[in-house]
């Protein structure tokens, strides 16, 4: 019983920790609308691998707080991470993560 309890704790604990680390990863981000009224939709995945769409206004994007790994901005209260190097629109990336890209 002790061995199975330990194995169960290790399996559940590692899954929860892995989800905590990778859930902010943005798979895609789309602009909805144009001009000043444009909003954005970021697609992430939850613990079960299902897509989660978060809509947000670019003006409401905030820098990350705390020590959460793999998070370079917060939108609509949700921590998110994008690979700045993989986004073609560098001006958009600067607005999102709040800093210039360095090589």
């Amino acid at each position: 019983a002790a061995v199975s309890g330990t194995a169960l704790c290790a399996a559940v604990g590692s899954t929860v920790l892995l989800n905590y680390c990778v859930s902010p990863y943005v798979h895609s981000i789309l602009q909805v609308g144009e001009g000043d009224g444009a909003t954005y939709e970021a697609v992430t995945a939850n613990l079960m691998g299902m897509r989660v769409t978060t809509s947000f206004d670019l003006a409401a994007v905030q820098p990350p707080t705390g020590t959460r790994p793999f998070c370079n901005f917060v939108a609509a209260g949700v921590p998110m991470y994008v690979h700045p190097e993989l986004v073609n629109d560098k001006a958009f990336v600067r607005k999102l993560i709040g800093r210039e890209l360095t090589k």
Side-chain angles (χ1 to χ4, degrees), residues 46-98:
N46 66 10
L47 179 64
M48 304 306 272
M50 297 169 54
R51 292 178 184 258
V52 177
T53 302
T54 304
S55 297
F56 63 93
D57 183 12
L58 196 56
V61 171
Q62 301 173 344
T65 57
T67 58
R68 177 141 189 173
F70 306 111
C71 173
N72 55 9
F73 71 100
V74 176
V78 179
M80 296 189 181
Y81 178 81
V82 293
H83 283 287
E85 303 82 15
L86 300 179
V87 179
N88 293 329
D89 187 349
K90 300 309 178 194
F92 175 67
V93 171
R94 281 192 301 275
K95 291 177 186 175
L96 243 143
I97 64 173

Side-chain angles (χ1 to χ4, degrees), residues 1-19 47:
V3 172
S4 61
T6 302
L8 181 64
C9 285
V12 170
S14 63
T15 301
V16 169
L17 182 62
L18 185 61
N19 180 65
L47 179 64

